[in-house]
C-alpha cells in the first residue's frame, strides 16, 4: 500500500475550473437553480450527491477547499467555517447535548477554554479540565455520561503534545469521541491516522498563512459531517457559521504552498532553539530532545515537515518580557501581535494575551511563567541574522 503523505494528497488533487481554469471557478451564489422540481425536494432530504441548494449548506468553492482538507487530513469528509471558533463550537455542540460531560485539556486555546468554562454551563454540559499528558488522570475523569475528550495536538503556549493513539484508545473504550485541534501542526501530524474522530482547525493561522482572514474547518467521517449539516438537526446548518466562498477560493490557493511554509517555519524555529540552548536561555521547543514530549511527537509525526514554527522563551518576569518584545519590534524582528502562522515572526506574552482567559492559578499549575514569550517564527530567509538581532534585544 502507498504510504500516506498529506502534501502528496493535496498535490494529487485534480480541481480545475468549469472553463478549464487551473484554479477552480469561484461560485459567488447564495442559492442554486434546479432543472427539475423533484431534485430540489430530494436535495432538501439529503438524498442527492453533488447538488447544491443554498450556500449555508454547501457551495462549490467551499466544497473544493473542504475536499482538499479532507485529502490532507486523510478523513472521508470536511466542512469549512467562518472561524476556528465556529468549527470548534459546532463540533462540540453536535456531539454533546444537555446532561453530557466533556474531559478537556487544561491548556486549550483561550477562546475554547472560555467557551467550555463559561458558555457550556448554559446548556448543562459539564467539562472537567485535566492535564492531558497524565493518561491516568484522563481515565479517572471519565464518567458514564462523558461524550467527548478534547485536546490540542500541540498545546498553547507550552507546546506539549497530546498522546493521540492512547487518548483515542481511552475515548473509544468509553464510547466517547476524541476531538483534536490541529491548528499548530498541519501536515506535521495527521490526527485521523492515530484514531482521532474529529479534527478541528483555525485556518486563520498556518493553513492560510497570510493573516488576511479568519476561517476554520472540521474534518471527519461522512456520517459526522452530514450530521453537522443536516437541514433539520445539524449544528453547522442551524447556527450558520459557514465560510464565505470567496475566502475558500483564496485559502485553497494558499493550501498548495503549506508544505514549503511549514518546512521553513520549522527550520527557522529549530535554528533558534539550538542557538537559545547555546546561550543558556530558558525555552520550550518540541524539536529538542530536552522537551518532555520530543519522543512522543517523533512517534506520531509525518517526516519531513519538522517540529513546527512555535517556540516559547521564558524571561521570568512580565516586565522583562515587555521590554524585550518592544525592543524586538523596534529591531524589525517581527510584530508584537497575537496569532500565529504568519510569514513574519509574531510574538506575545502568553499569560497576558492569548492565555489570559485562563485564571492565574491555573496558569501556574500548567507551569506557565509570567515572563513567557511565545514566538510564531516567520519565514525569514536568513534566520542567523534574526537570531543576532534577538541577542541584541536580550542585552
Ligand atoms: C486561533 C486559534 C483558535 C481560534 O480560531 P479563530 O480562527 O480565531 O476563530 C482555535 N484554536 C487554536 C489553537 C488557535 O490558535
Amino acid at each position: 500500500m502507498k504510504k500516506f503523505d498529506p502534501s502528496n494528497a493535496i498535490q494529487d488533487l485534480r480541481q480545475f475550473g468549469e472553463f478549464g481554469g487551473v484554479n477552480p471557478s469561484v461560485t459567488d451564489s447564495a442559492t442554486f437553480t434546479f432543472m427539475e422540481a423533484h431534485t430540489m425536494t430530494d436535495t432538501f432530504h439529503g438524498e442527492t450527491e453533488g447538488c447544491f441548494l443554498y450556500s449555508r449548506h454547501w457551495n462549490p468553492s467551499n466544497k473544493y477547499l473542504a475536499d482538499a482538507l479532507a485529502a490532507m487530513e486523510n478523513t472521508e469528509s470536511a466542512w469549512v467555517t467562518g472561524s476556528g471558533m465556529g468549527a470548534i463550537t459546532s463540533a462540540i455542540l453536535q456531539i454533546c447535548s444537555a446532561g453530557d460531560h466533556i474531559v478537556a485539556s487544561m491548556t486549550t486555546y483561550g477562546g475554547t477554554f472560555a467557551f467550555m468554562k463559561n458558555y457550556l454551563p448554559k446548556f448543562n454540559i459539564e467539562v472537567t479540565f485535566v492535564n492531558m499528558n497524565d493518561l491516568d488522570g484522563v481515565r479517572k475523569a471519565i464518567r458514564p455520561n462523558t461524550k467527548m475528550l478534547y485536546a490540542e495536538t500541540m498545546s498553547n503556549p507550552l507546546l506539549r503534545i497530546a498522546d493521540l493513539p492512547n487518548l483515542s484508545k481511552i475515548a473509544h473504550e468509553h464510547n466517547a469521541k476524541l476531538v483534536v485541534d490541529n491548528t499548530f501542526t498541519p501536515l506535521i501530524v495527521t490526527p485521523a491516522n492515530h484514531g482521532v474522530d474529529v479534527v478541528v482547525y483555525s485556518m486563520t493561522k498556518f493553513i492560510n498563512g497570510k493573516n488576511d482572514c479568519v476561517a476554520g474547518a472540521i474534518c471527519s467521517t461522512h456520517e459526522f459531517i452530514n450530521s453537522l449539516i443536516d437541514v433539520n438537526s445539524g449544528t453547522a446548518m442551524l447556527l450558520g457559521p459557514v465560510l464565505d466562498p470567496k475566502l475558500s477560493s483564496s485559502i485553497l490557493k494558499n493550501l498548495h504552498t503549506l508544505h514549503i511554509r511549514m518546512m521553513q517555519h520549522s527550520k527557522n524555529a529549530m535554528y533558534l532553539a539550538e542557538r537559545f540552548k547555546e546561550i543558556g536561555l530558558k525555552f520550550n521547543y518540541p524539536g529538542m530532545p530536552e522537551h518532555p514530549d520530543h519522543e512522543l511527537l517523533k512517534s506520531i509525526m509525518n517526516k519531513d515537515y519538522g517540529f513546527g514554527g512555535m517556540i516559547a522563551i521564558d524571561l521570568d518576569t512580565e516586565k522583562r518580557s515587555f521590554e524585550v518584545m518592544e525592543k524586538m519590534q523596534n529591531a524589525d524582528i517581527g510584530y508584537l501581535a497575537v496569532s500565529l502562522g504568519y510569514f513574519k515572526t509574531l510574538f506575545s506574552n502568553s499569560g497576558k494575551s492569548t492565555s489570559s482567559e485562563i485564571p492565574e492559578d491555573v496558569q501556574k499549575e500548567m507551569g506557565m511563567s509570567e515572563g513567557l514569550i511565545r514566538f510564531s517564527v516567520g519565514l525569514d530567509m536568513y534566520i542567523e541574522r534574526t537570531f543576532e538581532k534577538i541577542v541584541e534585544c536580550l542585552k
Side-chain angles (χ1 to χ4, degrees):
M1 204 182 76
K2 243 182 25 198
K3 201 166 155 12
F4 174 79
D5 177 87
S7 58
N8 284 343
I10 296 169
Q11 193 184 324
D12 292 347
L13 293 165
R14 186 188 288 201
Q15 295 183 320
F16 44 75
E18 57 186 316
F19 301 108
V22 292
N23 291 309
S25 315
V26 183
T27 306
D28 61 353
S29 293
T31 191
F32 297 85
T33 181
F34 290 86
M35 291 305 169
E36 291 166 41
H38 74 87
T39 324
M40 179 186 277
T41 316
D42 294 348
T43 305
F44 247 96
H45 294 135
E47 286 159 8
T48 45
E49 268 288 313
C51 274
F52 295 97
L53 173 73
Y54 187 66
S55 279
R56 172 156 39 81
H57 182 249
W58 265 128
N59 173 292
S61 296
N62 290 3
K63 185 84 168 79
Y64 284 126
L65 177 60
D67 286 349
L69 292 165
M72 170 173 97
E73 288 305 315
N74 207 16
T75 56
E76 290 172 0
S77 188
W79 200 75
V80 291
T81 57
S83 69
M85 286 309 294
I88 292 164
T89 54
S90 297
I92 292 173
L93 292 174
Q94 187 63 29
I95 295 169
C96 298
S97 305
D100 288 342
H101 174 249
I102 298 172
V103 176
S105 167
M106 199 154 65
T107 62
T108 56
Y109 174 72
T112 308
F113 180 83
F115 178 73
M116 291 191 182
K117 180 143 195 308
N118 307 328
Y119 205 88
L120 285 181
K122 284 214 251 192
F123 302 103
N124 190 28
I125 297 169
E126 255 196 285
V127 185
T128 307
F129 295 98
V130 299
N131 172 358
M132 275 286 165
N133 293 94
D134 169 13
L135 295 177
D136 276 334
V138 172
R139 274 192 202 94
K140 285 199 188 100
I142 291 179
R143 302 177 191 168
N145 60 340
T146 303
K147 286 282 161 63
M148 178 195 295
L149 266 57
Y150 187 95
E152 292 172 355
T153 308
M154 184 183 282
S155 72
N156 179 34
L158 295 176
L159 315 177
R160 295 298 306 260
I161 304 298
D163 184 344
L164 303 181
N166 277 313
L167 288 172
S168 68
K169 216 177 286 166
I170 296 170
H172 298 156
E173 276 165 16
H174 296 86
N175 278 324
K177 280 191 156 62
L178 176 59
V179 179
V180 163
D181 181 336
N182 203 43
T183 298
F184 282 26
T185 47
L187 300 180
I188 297 172
V189 178
T190 306
N193 288 357
H194 304 289
V196 172
D197 301 287
V198 179
V199 184
V200 289
Y201 270 108
S202 168
M203 296 201 288
T204 314
K205 317 296 170 53
F206 288 105
I207 289 186
N208 186 51
K210 291 191 176 164
N211 256 294
D212 57 359
C213 72
V214 172
I218 307 169
C219 306
S220 187
T221 58
H222 283 309
E223 188 190 357
F224 186 73
I225 299 299
N226 286 340
S227 72
L228 262 178
I229 57 169
D230 184 285
V231 291
N232 293 305
S233 58
T235 307
M237 185 63 184
L238 299 176
L239 298 187
V242 69
L243 182 61
D244 181 334
K246 296 183 202 78
L247 289 175
S248 282
S249 155
S250 163
I251 295 168
L252 178 59
K253 284 171 276 188
N254 293 334
L255 187 69
H256 284 274
T257 58
L258 180 61
H259 58 300
I260 303 170
R261 292 186 279 112
M262 289 315 289
M263 288 191 304
Q264 188 71 11
H265 285 301
S266 290
K267 182 176 157 231
N268 286 350
M270 190 65 169
Y271 179 90
L272 291 182
E274 283 169 347
R275 295 287 91 77
F276 288 163
K277 185 177 170 178
E278 277 172 15
I279 63 170
L281 200 62
K282 274 189 272 179
F283 70 94
N284 288 308
Y285 186 62
M288 296 295 272
E290 295 83 359
H291 189 279
D293 302 323
H294 178 66
E295 290 302 323
L296 172 60
L297 179 53
K298 274 192 2 195
S299 74
I300 62 171
M301 71 198 287
N302 297 313
K303 281 197 307 176
D304 306 327
Y305 304 99
F307 294 88
M310 305 303 292
I311 185 167
I313 62 173
D314 181 357
L315 298 182
D316 297 317
T317 64
E318 177 186 307
K319 184 166 172 292
R320 172 113 170 100
S321 75
F322 283 15
E323 281 167 11
V324 170
M325 288 193 298
E326 286 169 11
K327 278 194 195 168
M328 289 196 298
Q329 178 156 262
N330 290 332
D332 297 320
I333 287 166
Y335 296 135
L336 205 179
V338 297
S339 202
L340 52 121
Y342 188 44
F343 40 76
K344 282 210 175 211
T345 297
L346 301 178
F347 39 84
S348 54
N349 175 306
S350 294
K352 301 295 159 186
S353 61
T354 52
S355 296
S356 60
E357 290 93 337
I358 300 172
E360 273 183 25
D361 54 319
V362 179
Q363 290 191 18
K364 279 224 177 69
E365 204 182 321
M366 283 163 57
M368 238 178 84
S369 151
E370 62 164 60
L372 197 78
I373 302 177
R374 183 192 77 180
F375 286 80
S376 167
V377 181
L379 300 175
D380 313 26
M381 178 69 186
Y382 301 108
I383 193 71
E384 311 78 25
R385 172 170 162 268
T386 310
F387 173 70
E388 280 160 20
K389 286 189 193 176
I390 295 175
V391 169
E392 282 304 308
C393 296
L394 287 168
K395 278 180 183 161

